[in-house]
């Protein structure tokens, strides 16, 4: 294969290299900036066919061969006919946009858009299909990004050198990382190069994180290079690891006709653009650190959310206190206990609209406050919350309705499939495309928030629409239109209610994708309200969302030991603290542990917001029957936070945790985590900070119960510990934190801070 370079752009520590073969088929390489593309070497050492950087399929065009149908719609006639036409570069004050235009001799045009902002660790990509003909056509596949020829740095098909990452998710078990070799996924090329290999994955429905996160990554483990992407889309999506020859391809976008029942009619002169993909490439050995290049996309939107959010204030949600049965009386009791605590938001969860004898989840949709539960009105309850010093919040499941609500029978406002209202056991779905629906929701949601003084909105979503609905040229397109209208309504809420704080919840974490996260201040991390696996799930989510947006439950029970309270509160240090439970029944000793936990959380808020994380684990396989231990280290230029949880069989175990950016080889024998967290380039600012801490080995913890341990060395560096047991053996040496678990299922946290 003879290919030539069209252009190249340095994008921070990345480079984008555009190439074309002798026929004009154009491809894109996204590479580390310090690793030139070895074009001549590739031509000699790899057997690869050209692949277009734009991937779409027009209905009626010839499909790819090699047994691809049912596995992939890539590389059919539609893109084989595309030829490079031009490239336009728009330089902006904050970055640049590269638009690469490809043309088909029939009059179809593909535009590949790459955007980069200076100082960022990612680019965004999307694809636009333009119909320049005088007849309509139907798309049956359109991808947002496509990276080909992976890896360009190794000969042949890079045997045993490519690792593929996905992040699986299930209800109350979000974020399990899956790492497989290309060989394990049957992505080795055949002996002749015939036969498509494709691992297509994703989800079909309105819960974008239902089975998998819209995330994928490829790792060249010999050169320590990651390529990764996340899709910014709140409906059906897919990604593909694809191979036919020596080059592996990685792509993703809308779920296509095969996977998501999607087709889209494009009329003469019309165009259609894919969802945005967030894409990055880096020389990095630690998977968790690489993922944070992608999640950093959300930082700008988070910093532009409600002003109060910058300090990551604490939430109290009464759901695990009342289990869907809130009342003015109970809220008043809770407020008496919580008044004066370091809490900013008090959220009334589901059930405030309950009809007599009907469970909360079978009557939602009409949203008329219950006179029995709130005899003085919901406004009075909100006023009580404000008078106690908190921002009042309230729960809605905006897009779904339940069977005992009057709106359940208003079929003209509902989504249909096959001509009938789309119904699951317990739910129907509002058609968000209809102006009448939006007007109804403006009255029920926006007017209610403004008239009653609520400053916090929890948006829940507890069932999926599935692969599609009526009302468009395909079921999948109907779903896409409805999802876009849902996102637009969230924007309307933000515009209408000044400084509203919005929580993204979908039975916990089913909507933890970049679009929904960009519209909300924070998200419920999971429905794992009281489970011991909370710290594992919370750590998992560092790969896919900002910890500053990850709201983690700490449900407090009157029977909890101090150890259990510290375990629960320590888990919230991996994100945003959300309290609930039997707070009015806690003893003085229990409240002392909680107060100290809240104070510790406030002291680490800037580390949660601004830091970078690495995750270390040993023995964690089953989430429901946890064994081993987990340590999360999160660092900024001035502080290091270490959050530790031991599970079954952890008592007496000594753990050595590296605080610097990399691991020293000499630690491998005494530090079992060295096999799970790879060596990597150190973060210089952090290394300097850690060196100051360890120049003098005079930092040792003093005894404490559930709370206070603050010591300083001669240079004024501080160690603060939150733990249930005395830990006078905790020490920092040679850039590592050393500690020993006192008991099974123990949680603790250590803050090392430059004073």
């Amino acid at each position: 294969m003879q290919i030539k370079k069209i252009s190249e752009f340095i994008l921070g520590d990345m480079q984008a290299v555009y190439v074309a073969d002798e026929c004009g088929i154009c491809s894109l390489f996204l590479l580390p900036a310090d690793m030139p593309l070895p074009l001549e070497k590739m031509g000699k050492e790899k057997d690869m066919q050209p692949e277009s950087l734009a991937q779409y399929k027009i209905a009626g065009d010839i499909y790819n061969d090699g047994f691809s149908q049912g596995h992939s719609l890539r590389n059919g006639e539609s893109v084989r006919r595309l030829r490079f036409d031009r490239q336009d570069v728009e330089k902006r004050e904050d970055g640049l946009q590269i638009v690469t235009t490809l043309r088909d001799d029939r009059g179809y045009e593909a535009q590949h858009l790459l955007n980069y902002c200076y100082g960022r660790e990612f680019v965004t990509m999307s694809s636009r299909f333009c119909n320049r003909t005088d007849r309509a056509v139907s798309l049956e596949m359109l991808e947002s990004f496509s990276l080909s020829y992976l890896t360009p740095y190794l000969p042949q098909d890079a045997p045993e050198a490519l690792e593929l990452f996905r992040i699986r998710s299930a209800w109350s078990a979000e974020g399990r990382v899956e790492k497989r070799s290309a060989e394990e996924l049957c992505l080795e090329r055949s002996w002749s190069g015939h036969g498509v290999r494709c691992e297509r994955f994703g989800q079909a429905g309105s819960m974008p994180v239902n089975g998998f996160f819209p995330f994928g990554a490829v790792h060249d483990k010999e050169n320590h290079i990651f390529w990764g992407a996340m899709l910014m889309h709140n409906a059906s999506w897919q990604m593909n690891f694809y191979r036919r020859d020596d080059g592996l391809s990685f792509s993703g976008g809308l779920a296509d006709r095969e996977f998501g029942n999607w087709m889209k009619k494009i009329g003469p002169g019309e165009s259609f653009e894919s969802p945005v993909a967030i894409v990055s490439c880096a020389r990095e050995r630690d998977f968790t650190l690489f993922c944070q290049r992608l999640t950093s996309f959300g930082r700008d939107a988070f910093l532009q959310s409600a002003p109060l959010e910058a300090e990551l204030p604490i939430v109290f949600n009464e759901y695990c206190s009342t289990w869907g049965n809130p009342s003015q009386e109970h809220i008043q009791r809770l407020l008496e206990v919580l008044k004066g605590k370091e809490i900013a938001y008090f959220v009334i969860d589901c059930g405030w609209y309950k009809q007599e004898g009907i469970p909360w989840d079978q009557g939602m949709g009409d949203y008329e406050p219950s006179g029995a539960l709130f005899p003085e009105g919901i406004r009075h309850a909100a006023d009580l919350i404000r008078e106690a010093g908190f921002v009042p919040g309230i729960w809605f499941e905006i897009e779904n309705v339940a069977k005992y609500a009057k709106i359940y029978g208003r079929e003209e406002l509902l989504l249909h499939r096959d001509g009938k209202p789309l119904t699951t056991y317990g739910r129907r779905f509002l058609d968000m495309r209809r102006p009448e629906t939006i007007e109804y929701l403006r009255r029920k949601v926006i007017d209610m928030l403004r008239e009653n003084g609520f400053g916090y909105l929890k948006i829940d979503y507890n069932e999926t629409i599935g692969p599609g609905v009526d009302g468009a040229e395909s079921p999948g397109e109907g779903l896409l239109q409805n999802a876009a209208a849902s996102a637009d309504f969230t924007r309307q809420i933000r515009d209408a209610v000044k400084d509203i704080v919005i929580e993204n919840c979908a039975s916990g974490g089913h909507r933890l994708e970049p679009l929904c996260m960009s519209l909300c201040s924070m998200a419920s991390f999971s429905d794992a309200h009281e489970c011991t696996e909370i710290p594992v799930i919370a750590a998992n989510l560092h790969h896919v969302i900002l910890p500053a947006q990850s709201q983690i439950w700490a449900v407090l029970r009157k029977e909890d030991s101090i150890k259990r309270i510290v375990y629960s509160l320590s888990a919230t240090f991996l994100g945003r603290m959300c309290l609930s439970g039997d707070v009015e029944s806690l003893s003085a000793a229990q409240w002392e542990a909680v107060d100290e936990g809240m104070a510790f959380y406030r002291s680490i808020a800037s580390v949660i917001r601004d830091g970078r994380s690495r995750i270390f684990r040993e023995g964690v396989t089953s989430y429901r029957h946890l064994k081993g231990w987990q340590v999360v280290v999160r660092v900024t230029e001035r502080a290091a936070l270490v959050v530790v949880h031991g599970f079954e069989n952890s008592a007496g175990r000594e753990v050595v945790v590296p605080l610097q950016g990399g691991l020293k080889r000499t630690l491998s024998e005494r530090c079992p985590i060295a096999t799970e967290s790879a060596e990597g380039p150190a973060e210089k600012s952090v290394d300097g900070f850690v060196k100051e801490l360890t120049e003098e080995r005079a930092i040792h913890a003093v005894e404490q119960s559930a709370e206070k341990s603050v010591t300083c060395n001669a240079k004024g560096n501080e160690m603060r510990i939150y733990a249930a047991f005395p830990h006078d053996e905790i020490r920092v040496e040679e850039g590592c934190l050393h500690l020993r678990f006192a008991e099974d299922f123990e949680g603790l946290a250590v803050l090392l801070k430059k004073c």
Side-chain angles (χ1 to χ4, degrees), residues 534-536 538-539 542 552 566-575 600-601 604 607-608 613-617 629-635 640-647 655 657 659 720 722 737 739 741 746-752:
I534 285 175
V536 175
H542 285 221
I552 301 164
V566 173
Y567 183 97
S568 298
L569 290 174
S570 295
T572 70
F573 303 159
L574 299 172
F600 190 92
Y601 171 82
I604 62 173
V607 186
I608 297 170
S613 302
R614 287 181 301 137
I615 301 169
F616 307 105
R617 285 179 183 150
W629 51 266
Q630 171 185 281
V631 179
V632 178
V633 179
R634 190 163 177 84
V635 296
L641 170 66
V642 184
V643 181
V644 182
H645 284 86
F647 312 121
V655 178
V657 185
L659 298 174
R720 184 185 297 269
Y722 179 65
L737 185 80
L739 63 91
F741 288 105
E746 180 187 0
L748 63 96
V750 180
L751 173 65
L752 303 166

Side-chain angles (χ1 to χ4, degrees), residues 212-233:
F212 288 97
F213 278 82
F215 167 97
V218 178
H219 182 212
D220 172 350
K221 63 183 184 181
E222 290 194 15
N223 290 291
H224 311 297
I225 302 171
F226 278 97
W227 292 268
M230 298 177 72
L231 291 169
M232 192 174 181
H233 187 53

Side-chain angles (χ1 to χ4, degrees), residues 425-436:
Y425 284 105
R427 294 286 197 285
R428 284 180 171 176
F429 306 87
L430 291 175
D431 190 338
M432 303 295 287
R433 301 168 293 183
R434 293 185 174 275
E436 307 94 317

Side-chain angles (χ1 to χ4, degrees), residues 427-458:
R427 294 286 197 285
R428 284 180 171 176
F429 306 87
L430 291 175
D431 190 338
M432 303 295 287
R433 301 168 293 183
R434 293 185 174 275
E436 307 94 317
T437 303
I438 298 303
E439 180 55 34
Y440 174 85
L441 290 174
R442 286 189 66 86
R443 294 197 312 271
K444 292 293 184 177
V445 180
I446 294 176
D447 290 353
M448 192 273 196
L449 293 170
R450 292 194 299 198
E451 291 169 4
N452 294 288
F454 286 100
Y456 184 111
L457 170 64
K458 178 176 179 177

Side-chain angles (χ1 to χ4, degrees), residues 539-722:
N540 286 347
L541 296 187
H542 285 221
H543 298 115
V544 285
I545 65 174
L546 296 172
Q549 291 186 285
S550 183
Q551 186 188 118
I552 301 164
W553 290 98
V555 179
L556 309 170
R557 295 297 177 208
K558 59 185 177 182
E559 62 270 17
D560 282 350
S561 65
I562 299 299
K563 183 181 90 166
R564 174 58 175 165
I565 288 173
V566 173
Y567 183 97
S568 298
L569 290 174
S570 295
T572 70
F573 303 159
L574 299 172
R576 298 290 296 274
M577 180 181 286
C578 177
L579 302 178
S580 192
D582 306 332
V583 294
E584 73 269 37
S585 302
L586 299 182
S587 68
Q590 289 172 315
W591 261 118
E592 185 179 6
V594 175
D595 288 339
E596 290 296 336
M598 288 193 289
F600 190 92
Y601 171 82
R602 298 302 311 137
S603 74
I604 62 173
S606 63
V607 186
I608 297 170
R609 185 189 61 219
D610 302 329
R612 295 255 176 162
S613 302
R614 287 181 301 137
I615 301 169
F616 307 105
R617 285 179 183 150
E618 184 181 83
V620 176
T621 302
S622 168
Y623 286 8
R624 293 271 55 227
H625 308 279
L626 282 167
K627 297 180 180 178
W629 51 266
Q630 171 185 281
V631 179
V632 178
V633 179
R634 190 163 177 84
V635 296
T636 65
E637 292 187 3
R638 299 187 60 83
L641 170 66
V642 184
V643 181
V644 182
H645 284 86
F647 312 121
E648 187 178 338
N649 299 330
S650 62
R653 294 288 304 276
E654 182 177 358
V655 178
V656 183
V657 185
L659 298 174
Q660 295 166 289
L663 292 175
K664 299 179 180 179
R665 294 187 184 276
T666 54
L667 292 176
S668 59
E669 291 186 1
R670 49 193 270 233
C671 181
I673 52 179
T675 60
E676 290 196 20
S677 177
E679 300 169 338
E683 299 180 21
K684 293 181 181 178
S685 58
V686 176
D687 286 352
F689 161 57
V690 171
K691 183 181 178 185
E692 275 196 21
L693 283 172
T694 57
E695 279 178 348
E696 299 184 44
R697 300 183 184 179
I699 301 185
H700 297 285
V702 298
E703 290 193 4
Q704 73 283 333
S705 55
E707 78 298 356
K708 27 192 174 303
S709 173
V710 181
T711 58
C712 293
N713 66 8
K715 290 184 176 292
N717 295 306
E718 175 187 306
M719 173 187 278
R720 184 185 297 269
I721 300 171
Y722 179 65

Side-chain angles (χ1 to χ4, degrees), residues 399-520:
E399 299 149 78
N400 301 343
V401 298
K403 61 183 179 181
Y404 292 116
K406 293 189 290 290
I407 195 173
Y408 188 85
R410 293 187 60 182
E411 295 187 6
E412 75 279 8
L413 299 184
L414 303 178
L415 290 173
H416 289 64
R417 184 183 294 162
D418 302 326
K420 297 181 179 180
L422 176 56
T423 307
T424 69
Y425 284 105
R427 294 286 197 285
R428 284 180 171 176
F429 306 87
L430 291 175
D431 190 338
M432 303 295 287
R433 301 168 293 183
R434 293 185 174 275
E436 307 94 317
T437 303
I438 298 303
E439 180 55 34
Y440 174 85
L441 290 174
R442 286 189 66 86
R443 294 197 312 271
K444 292 293 184 177
V445 180
I446 294 176
D447 290 353
M448 192 273 196
L449 293 170
R450 292 194 299 198
E451 291 169 4
N452 294 288
F454 286 100
Y456 184 111
L457 170 64
K458 178 176 179 177
I459 300 178
D460 210 341
Y461 190 80
N462 290 303
E463 190 53 270
T464 178
I465 291 170
V469 295
D470 298 345
E473 54 265 59
S474 66
E477 175 62 16
L479 173 68
L480 188 153
Q481 292 174 2
N482 196 71
S486 295
D488 283 341
F489 185 68
T490 303
R491 295 184 185 98
Q492 289 186 41
I493 296 171
R494 286 163 42 124
D495 292 341
V497 186
K498 180 177 172 57
D499 293 335
I500 186 76
V501 174
I502 301 179
E503 176 189 340
N504 164 27
C505 183
S507 289
H510 285 93
R511 282 182 160 178
L512 299 179
E513 57 81 29
L515 175 60
C516 289
M517 295 305 302
S518 71
L519 297 174
C520 300

